[in-house]
Amino acid sequence: MSEAGSRVLLLAVAALAGAATMTVELAAVRLLAPWFGSSAGVWTNVIGVILLALALGYLLGSRLAVRARPTRDLAWLLAAAAAWNAWLPALARPLCEVLLPRELTLDQSASLLLWGSLAATLVLFLPPAALLGTVAPLCTECYQRISRTHAGTAGGTVLCASTLGSLAGAFGTTHVFAPTLGLSWTFVAAALVLLGCSAIVGLLSQSRGGWLVAGALACATLPATLLSRLERSPAPPGVEVLAEAESRYQSIRVVEDRRWGEPQRLLQVNEGLDSFQSVWVAHKGLLGPGFYYDLFVLPAWWARAEGPWRVAVIGLGAGTAFRVLEGASPPAAELELSGLEIDERVVELGFEWFDLATERGTVLAGVDGRAGLRGLPGEFDLLVLDAYQNQVEIPAHLATLEAFSQMRARLAENGWIAVNVGGFGFDDPVVQAVATTLAAAFDGECVGYLTPRSRNIVLFARSGARPTAPDGDDYWFEGAVAKALLPSLSPEGCWRRFHGAAADAPLRDDRSPLERLQQRSLEGARERLAAAR
Amino acid sequence: MSAWPRLASVTRTLLGVALVASGAAAQDAAQDAAQAAAVEEVAAQFERGRYDLALNETRFIASPQLRAEWRFHVLYNAGNLPAALDEALAGLEVAPQSLDLARNAVLCALTLGLGRVAEDLLARWKAAIDSSSLDAAARESWLELHAEQSAFAAQVLARDEAASDAARRALWICVAGFGLAFGALLVLSRAPSDAPRAGEAPVA
C-alpha cells in the first residue's frame, strides 16, 4: 500500500477509535441508568473512570510504541476493545444486579447509587477505554514511521483525527445511534467498527501473529451480535411490560400493574427502584392516597374557579396531571391545558398508552421547560412544575430564584404555582432549599403539603396573594374532592408554611447546589428516620 | 404517747383516707367523664373529616396511652406515617403493655422500611402479648398477627442486609479497581524507556 494510503487509513482508524471512545462514554451512563440513574454523580463517575482509563491506555500505548511492530499490537488491541465492547450489554445486568439488588427502595439504595455505579463503571468500562486509549500513541508512532515526519506533526495530526472522530461519536451516539439502534446495537455497532479498524491495521501490519490474535478476538466478538443484549430486570408477576423505548435522554418502559385491583399503567424511566414518572388508571380524576397529582386540582377549588382556568404543566410526562385535572376540577371551571415535556418519546407513549389528549390546549414536546414556557401563549391561572430528571432530581435550572420569577411573570393576577418536590419530610434539605427559594420569588411565602403515604411534597405559592393553608378561612370547601383531599392535608405536621426570608442563599442560576442537596437528602433519609426513634 | 391520741390519730387517718378516697373517686369520675367527652370530640371531628381539629382535641385526653392511640389514628389516616410512628412509640413509652400501639408501631415501621426498628418493636409486642391476660383464642389471634408481621420484618431486614452487602462489594471493587489502575500506571511509568532515535536532533 502507498505511503499516503497508509497514512489515511491510520487517521481513519484514529478517528473511528475516537468515535468509539465517546460512544462508550456516553452510552455507559445510559447502560447503567436502569439501575443507578443518570445523575451528575453517575456522570462524574463515568467520566472520571474513562479519564483514568485513557491515561492508562496512553501510557501503555507509549510503551508498546517502541516495539518493532506497533501495527501488530494496534491490531490486536483494537480487536480486544471490540470484543469487550460487544459484550457490554450482556454483562451490564448481571453485574449491576450484584451491586444493586432488586426490590431495594430509594432510601435503602442511597449510597449504592454512587458507589455501585463507580464499581460497575470500573469493571465494565475501564478495560475497553484503556484499550482504546492505546490507539492514539500507537497510531502516532505508526504515522511517524510511515511518513518519517516529526513527532509533533504526527501527534498533532493523529490527535486532530481522533478528536474529530470523538466529536462525531458524541453527536452520533446521543442523537442517532442510541435512539434509533437502541443501546445494545449501539455497543455492538461500535464493536464492529473497531473490528473493522483492527482488520485495516492488520492489513497494514501484514503480520501473521497479529492476524491470529485479532482473528481469535473477532470470533469472540461476532457472537455478541446475536447474543449480547441489555436486559432490564424482568417485571414481577402481575406486571406486564407494554412498551419499551430508548429516547435521546433515557430508557423508558410502560408497564401495566394488575396486582392491586384496578389496573395501573406506569411510565418508568431509568428505574431500578420504586418510583415512576406517570401513571394511568381507567377513570379520570383523583388517583388516591400516595399520588401527588391529586393536589394539583386544589388551586381551582380554592379559587372557586368559574370560566376559563388556564393551566400549564412543566414536565408533563405522559399526561397524568391532565387526566387528574380533567376529572376532578370544579365543574364550572373550563380547563385549558398546556404541557411541556422535554422528551418526545415520552409524549408519544403518552398518546399511545396514557390517553393523553389535547382537545383544548397545547403540548410542546422536545423542549426544555424553562425555554419552552416562552413558547406558550397567554397567562396562566395555574403553573404546575413537575419536572424530574435522573429518577430523583429536579433539574437545577428549573428551581432557581430566576426560574420561579420567570414562571411568576407568566401567572395571571392571583395565579398559582404548584411545585412537586421529592423529599423526606419538611426538613429535608432539598425541600427546604426549593421551598424557601420559591417563597423568595413569591412575596416571601409558600405552603407545602405532605402527600399522604408518599415522599412527595407539593408546594403552593401565589402571585400577589397568600397561598391557602389549613389555618385560613378559604381552605375548606364542600364536595367529594374536599372530602378526599382536605382532611389528610390539614393536621399539624402535614403542612408547613415556608418563608422566603429563611432562605440564607436562595438557589440561583449562578449557584445552585441542588444536586449535592439531593444526594445529602438521600443519604440522610435513613439516618434521620432511625435517629428520630 | 398514750393510746388515745394514737387511736385518735388512727381515726383521723382512716377518716382522711375515706375522705380522700371518696374525693378521688369523685375526681376520677369527673376525669373519666372529661376524658370520655374529649375522646368523643376527637372522634366526632375525625368523622367530620376535620383531622386538624381532631388532632388538636387529643390534647384534652388525659390518658397518655389513649391520647397516643388517637393521635396515631389521626396521623396514620392522614398518611403521615413517620409522625404516626413517633406517636405510637411515644405511647409505648408510657404503656408498653398496649397491644394496639405495639401492632401499629410495627406496621408503620415496616411500611417505612425500618427493619431494625420493627425488629425491636416486634420483641416488645411479643412481650406484651405474653404478659397480657387475654383468653386463649384472643392470644392465638394476636400471635398469628405477630407471626405475619415477623415474616414481613424478616423480608425488610433481608433487604437491608442485601443493601449493606452490596455496599461492601461496591467499596471493595472500587478499592481494587483503583488500586490496579494506579498500580499499572506506576509500573508503566517506571518501565525503562527506549533509547532516543538515532539521527534526531535534540529538542533544545
Side-chain angles (χ1 to χ4, degrees), chain A residues 251-263:
Chain A
S251 303
I252 311 167
R253 74 176 178 181
V254 179
V255 300
E256 186 161 290
D257 191 339
R258 303 188 194 99
R259 291 175 296 176
W260 322 108
E262 185 182 15

Side-chain angles (χ1 to χ4, degrees), chain A residues 52 56 59 63 66 98-99 101 103-104 108 112 119 122-123 141 144 450 452-453 476 487-488 490-491 493 526 533, chain B residues 49-52 76 78-80 85-86 89 114 159-160 166-167 169 174 178 184-185 188-189 191 193-194 197:
Chain A
L52 175 63
L56 195 58
L59 197 56
R63 298 299 168 192
V66 301
V98 165
L99 294 168
E103 295 179 1
L104 294 188
Q108 279 175 318
L112 288 175
L122 280 165
V123 174
E141 179 67 22
Q144 192 186 17
L450 204 61
R453 293 166 193 276
W476 296 95
S488 299
S490 66
R526 285 183 62 74
R533 314 282 86 95
Chain B
R50 291 300 302 261
Y51 293 2
D52 54 335
Y76 185 82
N80 190 344
L85 177 56
D86 282 341
L89 290 171
L114 300 169
R159 282 207 301 265
D160 277 349
R169 266 195 299 273
C174 291
F178 279 112
L185 276 175
L188 284 170
S189 64
S193 57
D194 62 321
R197 290 172 196 271

Side-chain angles (χ1 to χ4, degrees), chain A residues 66-81:
Chain A
V66 301
R67 296 178 11 150
R69 309 283 297 266
T71 44
R72 186 185 61 191
D73 293 329
L74 185 56
W76 74 258
L77 285 165
L78 282 165

Side-chain angles (χ1 to χ4, degrees), chain A residues 210-494:
Chain A
W211 274 109
L212 279 176
V213 175
L217 289 164
C219 291
T221 306
L222 293 173
T225 57
L226 298 174
L227 303 173
S228 183
R229 295 287 177 274
L230 173 66
E231 285 183 29
R232 300 186 66 164
S233 304
V239 177
E240 184 188 353
V241 177
L242 300 176
E244 286 185 296
E246 285 294 330
S247 76
R248 271 194 281 185
Y249 303 97
Q250 52 210 347
S251 303
I252 311 167
R253 74 176 178 181
V254 179
V255 300
E256 186 161 290
D257 191 339
R258 303 188 194 99
R259 291 175 296 176
W260 322 108
E262 185 182 15
Q264 290 179 349
R265 281 183 202 153
L266 305 171
L267 184 110
Q268 299 178 322
V269 176
N270 291 345
E271 309 287 343
L273 306 170
D274 56 341
S275 52
F276 52 86
Q277 303 294 315
S278 294
V279 61
W280 172 96
V281 292
H283 68 274
K284 287 182 178 179
L286 299 183
L287 294 164
F291 293 101
Y292 63 86
Y293 305 96
D294 290 356
L295 276 62
F296 298 153
V297 306
L298 287 171
W301 288 95
W302 283 331
R304 275 69 180 166
E306 289 180 8
W309 182 256
R310 290 150 299 182
V311 182
V313 181
I314 300 172
L316 178 64
T320 307
F322 278 12
R323 285 177 63 78
V324 171
L325 287 163
E326 283 169 353
S329 291
E334 296 163 14
L335 291 178
E336 291 175 17
L337 301 173
S338 300
L340 296 165
E341 172 53 50
I342 196 165
D343 195 330
E344 307 98 315
R345 284 296 284 137
V346 167
V347 173
E348 286 168 21
L349 290 167
F351 283 118
E352 193 175 350
W353 295 103
F354 289 76
D355 293 336
L356 173 60
T358 52
E359 289 149 17
R360 278 186 298 169
T362 315
V363 171
L364 292 183
V367 289
D368 172 76
R370 196 159 156 189
L373 191 57
R374 296 191 195 100
L376 292 177
E379 291 183 324
F380 300 99
D381 299 294
L382 170 64
L383 260 175
V384 173
L385 176 58
D386 186 20
Y388 270 79
Q389 65 182 10
N390 310 328
Q391 225 155 334
V392 292
E393 294 177 357
I394 299 175
H397 70 291
L398 290 178
T400 61
L401 192 63
E402 292 85 351
F404 288 140
S405 300
Q406 187 188 333
M407 291 171 204
R408 181 181 174 164
R410 298 303 308 276
L411 288 176
E413 194 181 348
N414 296 335
W416 295 74
I417 183 168
V419 180
N420 169 38
V421 191
F424 299 89
F426 292 121
D427 294 320
D428 183 281
V430 174
V431 175
Q432 284 279 339
V434 175
T436 51
T437 301
L438 179 68
F442 278 79
D443 299 329
E445 189 176 331
C446 77
V447 175
Y449 290 94
L450 204 61
T451 306
R453 293 166 193 276
S454 158
R455 53 176 171 252
N456 291 83
I457 287 170
V458 178
L459 306 169
F460 289 105
R462 286 183 86 178
S463 174
R466 294 188 76 191
T468 302
D471 59 357
D473 297 333
D474 51 350
Y475 176 79
W476 296 95
F477 56 89
E478 297 294 320
V481 170
K483 271 188 189 159
L485 296 180
L486 298 184
S488 299
L489 305 177
S490 66
E492 180 193 336
C494 298

Side-chain angles (χ1 to χ4, degrees), chain B:
Chain B
M1 187 184 283
S2 70
W4 173 247
R6 214 168 45 235
L7 184 62
S9 166
V10 170
T11 309
R12 269 203 306 277
T13 305
L14 287 175
L15 187 64
V17 169
L19 282 171
V20 167
S22 96
Q27 202 174 345
D28 283 354
Q31 274 178 358
D32 286 351
Q35 180 154 291
V39 168
E40 204 173 306
E41 180 62 20
V42 171
Q45 295 292 5
F46 181 80
E47 285 307 312
R48 281 180 57 211
R50 291 300 302 261
Y51 293 2
D52 54 335
L53 299 180
L55 198 66
N56 214 22
E57 289 295 326
T58 57
R59 287 178 304 149
F60 303 110
I61 300 177
S63 157
Q65 179 184 342
L66 202 54
R67 186 166 61 237
E69 283 175 0
W70 270 103
R71 289 183 70 82
F72 174 88
H73 184 63
V74 174
L75 288 166
Y76 185 82
N77 278 282
N80 190 344
L81 300 190
L85 177 56
D86 282 341
E87 292 298 339
L89 290 171
L92 280 174
E93 290 298 314
V94 292
Q97 78 290 354
S98 168
L99 296 179
D100 286 328
L101 279 174
R103 177 199 55 199
N104 293 342
V106 166
L107 287 175
C108 251
L110 289 175
T111 310
L112 290 168
L114 300 169
R116 294 277 165 224
V117 177
E119 195 180 31
D120 174 50
L121 287 166
L122 278 163
R124 289 159 72 177
W125 185 13
K126 181 71 171 40
I129 296 171
D130 290 343
S131 65
S132 69
S133 53
L134 296 167
D135 61 49
R139 182 186 301 274
E140 189 59 32
S141 160
W142 276 103
L143 285 172
E144 262 178 37
L145 193 55
H146 183 274
E148 272 174 29
Q149 297 308 314
S150 297
F152 186 20
Q155 287 175 18
V156 174
L157 282 168
R159 282 207 301 265
D160 277 349
E161 198 62 33
S164 303
D165 288 348
R168 265 194 300 277
R169 266 195 299 273
L171 197 60
W172 278 113
I173 289 175
C174 291
V175 169
F178 279 112
L180 281 172
F182 282 107
L185 276 175
L186 196 67
V187 168
L188 284 170
S189 64
R190 292 167 69 93
S193 57
D194 62 321
R197 290 172 196 271
E200 284 184 1
V203 173

